[in-house]
Amino acid sequence: MMDILGWMDVALQKANDSLKAGEVPVGCLFVYNNEVIAIGNNAVNETHNATRHAEINCIDQALEFCKNKSLNYKNVFTNVDVIVTVEPCIMCTSALYQLRVRNIVYGCANDRFGGCFSVFSVPNIYNSETKIMGGVKSDIAMALLKEFYKGTNPNTPKPKVKKGRKTKKCDNLEYI
């Protein structure tokens, strides 16, 4: 039996570490045979790579685990429970579905990029046994996100629109 609340506490601590490091506070872990085989957080700002989400970092670690233990990654992933503090984005949900993980358990919904249900239902396009459970300690996960978004992300690109430049509008589209 998986200790969802206990594992989520570990993921929340990793998310808190992300917040302290100036990253979007998302923590993730992969549990295989009741053992954590991967633990990660977002490293987008650190690496300057928009794909280095917590889930992707965990996928890399899990693949390394399989290599080091001489295990077939396909067999391992079908027995992995993903615990993540925020609903995975569309990219990460798709990757997890392609790997056929057993479960995805997340904290709060991701109203901007969520790939489980919030923005796009990735599960509708895959024939997979993956089960999804959301809302686990969501209030704590949401509080971390709110704390992050109170500040400014120092790595956000500066707008390239020149000051004083007018925009033209055409059928709800904006052209510069």
Side-chain angles (χ1 to χ4, degrees), residues 45-119:
N45 293 334
E46 174 190 342
T47 62
H48 303 286
N49 181 337
T51 67
R52 298 317 303 172
H53 294 190
E55 300 90 337
I56 301 300
N57 292 330
C58 282
I59 289 170
D60 288 347
Q61 290 175 37
L63 289 169
E64 190 65 27
F65 169 85
C66 293
K67 181 179 170 185
N68 292 340
K69 302 280 186 182
S70 298
L71 298 170
N72 181 312
Y73 78 92
K74 291 179 181 182
N75 295 335
V76 171
F77 278 107
T78 58
N79 291 294
V80 162
D81 298 311
V82 176
I83 314 295
V84 61
T85 57
V86 179
E87 175 187 3
C89 71
I90 296 165
M91 173 187 72
C92 291
T93 303
S94 182
L96 295 171
Y97 262 78
Q98 288 178 47
L99 290 166
R100 299 185 177 278
V101 298
R102 180 171 50 195
N103 294 303
I104 300 171
V105 177
Y106 66 85
C108 64
N110 182 346
D111 294 336
R112 295 178 73 195
F113 307 108
C116 293
F117 304 112
S118 296
V119 175

Side-chain angles (χ1 to χ4, degrees), residues 6-7 13-14 16 20 25-26 32 44-45 47 63 65 91 93 101 116 119 122 129 135 140 145 149 161 163 173:
W7 292 128
Q13 182 55 55
K14 197 66 175 165
N16 195 49
K20 290 176 185 173
V26 177
Y32 172 70
V44 170
N45 293 334
T47 62
L63 289 169
F65 169 85
M91 173 187 72
T93 303
V101 298
C116 293
V119 175
V122 169
E129 301 287 320
I140 300 169
L145 286 173
Y149 285 111
V161 176
K163 289 183 180 181
L173 297 176

Side-chain angles (χ1 to χ4, degrees), residues 159 161 165-176:
V161 176
R165 194 154 185 196
K166 304 273 185 200
T167 59
K168 300 177 203 172
K169 291 190 178 183
C170 177
D171 297 331
N172 297 329
L173 297 176
E174 193 169 83
Y175 296 95
I176 295 179

